[in-house]
Amino acid sequence: MIRFLHSADWHWGRIPKSQDENALRAVRALAPAICNLAKLGHREKVDFVLVAGDVFDANGLPEDSYKRFAETMCSFDPLPVYLISGNHDPACEGSVWKKGFPCELPENIHVLSSPCHVELCEGQVLLLANPVETDKSTEDPTEFFSGSIDSGDPIRIGFTHGSLMVDDLGKKDEHPILADATHRHSLDYLALGHWHSWFEYGGRIVYPGVLQPWNSKPDRGKVALVEIDRPGAIPRIFPRSCAAHFPKMS
């Protein structure tokens, strides 16, 4: 069995639209929320942590913001953490994903800046990662996951950022992802980011939503704790709250 945490949409560096105390407290609570996520990972003894894009609210944040981020990420040590870009912080030329961070990240924090396959858990898991490189696209980012699939493959986890084309919720120019992606690419689990509220589909696809809410909309502030017994097995998915502050109803 493998066990991991799936988070997304941290939006580090976000500037609130209003300067009221409620909004400011929500933004300041992001670092504690990330530390809560790290504590959960340690407590549950997970194998790794995935953060599926929009780690940062934008590209080109001030250098001291990246330094504070690196300091906050020390709380995960020694858990392996894998980061990819999203539509807010696309891995375009000139971004920190491509040119490198202005400060050193802890060794257990892995930045995946281009499409790749990563073996985890001594070969028990194949992580198929596709960080997005533009804010808008009509191409399905999961197409990278297609290809030859052997019967002896390990647990296959897709890892990207985009808009699931289901229930009239998906948008065709926001990296559209077909609803049958897990079947088409023989994925045991598809870890997504982009939608800000918890959304689970088909037993294998999850959006955990924003880690630290900045408004009072429902189903936010969560992370997915996922257990998979073996290739082909249905994942056990448990929503867990990590938010450090919940904004008051307006």
Side-chain angles (χ1 to χ4, degrees):
M1 183 190 79
I2 63 156
R3 171 182 269 197
F4 62 95
L5 291 175
H6 164 207
S7 183
D9 295 279
W10 291 1
H11 290 272
W12 182 277
R14 181 180 179 273
I15 298 174
K17 294 180 180 179
S18 64
Q19 293 299 307
D20 65 272
E21 185 58 29
N22 199 36
L24 292 172
R25 284 185 65 189
V27 169
R28 296 189 194 112
L30 178 55
I34 292 173
C35 291
N36 287 344
L37 174 60
K39 290 176 184 176
L40 176 64
H42 293 304
R43 186 169 65 249
E44 295 290 345
K45 296 181 171 58
V46 299
D47 296 299
F48 54 89
V49 179
L50 303 178
V51 187
D54 284 355
V55 177
F56 305 104
D57 194 56
N59 284 326
L61 299 178
E63 186 171 331
D64 64 332
S65 182
Y66 290 117
K67 289 181 178 178
R68 290 195 302 272
F69 176 80
E71 291 168 358
T72 303
M73 296 302 286
C74 290
S75 60
F76 286 96
D77 185 46
L79 293 176
V81 181
Y82 295 86
L83 309 176
I84 59 171
S85 60
N87 64 301
H88 273 257
D89 57 354
C92 55
E93 292 302 322
S95 68
V96 292
W97 305 98
K98 296 296 187 183
K99 71 179 182 181
F101 283 74
C103 56
E104 187 175 352
L105 291 172
E107 290 184 358
N108 58 304
I109 309 302
H110 305 280
V111 175
L112 306 181
S113 58
S114 57
C116 60
H117 296 175
V118 182
E119 288 190 359
L120 306 178
C121 303
E122 299 181 338
Q124 294 183 73
V125 176
L126 183 63
L127 181 66
L128 304 119
N130 191 5
V132 300
E133 299 182 346
T134 59
D135 60 343
K136 296 282 188 179
S137 175
T138 57
E139 296 182 3
D140 184 342
T142 68
E143 284 304 308
F144 169 71
F145 307 152
S146 63
S148 60
I149 300 168
D150 297 326
S151 59
D153 271 354
I155 294 169
R156 291 167 56 88
I157 298 175
F159 184 35
T160 192
H161 192 94
S163 191
L164 191 66
M165 305 305 290
V166 62
D167 298 336
D168 297 323
L169 297 174
K171 295 184 178 181
K172 295 180 180 179
D173 64 344
E174 295 184 359
H175 307 277
I177 297 169
L178 295 180
D180 65 347
T182 54
H183 174 72
R184 292 171 67 237
H185 307 306
S186 295
L187 301 175
D188 295 296
Y189 183 84
L190 179 55
L192 295 178
H194 186 47
W195 292 353
H196 286 181
S197 296
W198 177 277
F199 186 86
E200 189 175 340
Y201 182 78
R204 296 184 185 274
I205 302 175
V206 170
Y207 289 93
V210 292
L211 180 65
Q212 173 51 54
W214 54 78
N215 57 40
S216 56
K217 292 182 180 179
D219 291 325
R220 300 192 171 198
K222 297 178 181 178
V223 59
L225 173 63
V226 185
E227 297 176 347
I228 306 177
D229 289 328
R230 61 190 177 279
I234 300 295
R236 293 182 294 276
I237 302 166
F238 309 97
R240 295 286 186 264
S241 177
C242 286
H245 170 68
F246 285 94
K248 299 176 182 177
M249 296 289 289
S250 57

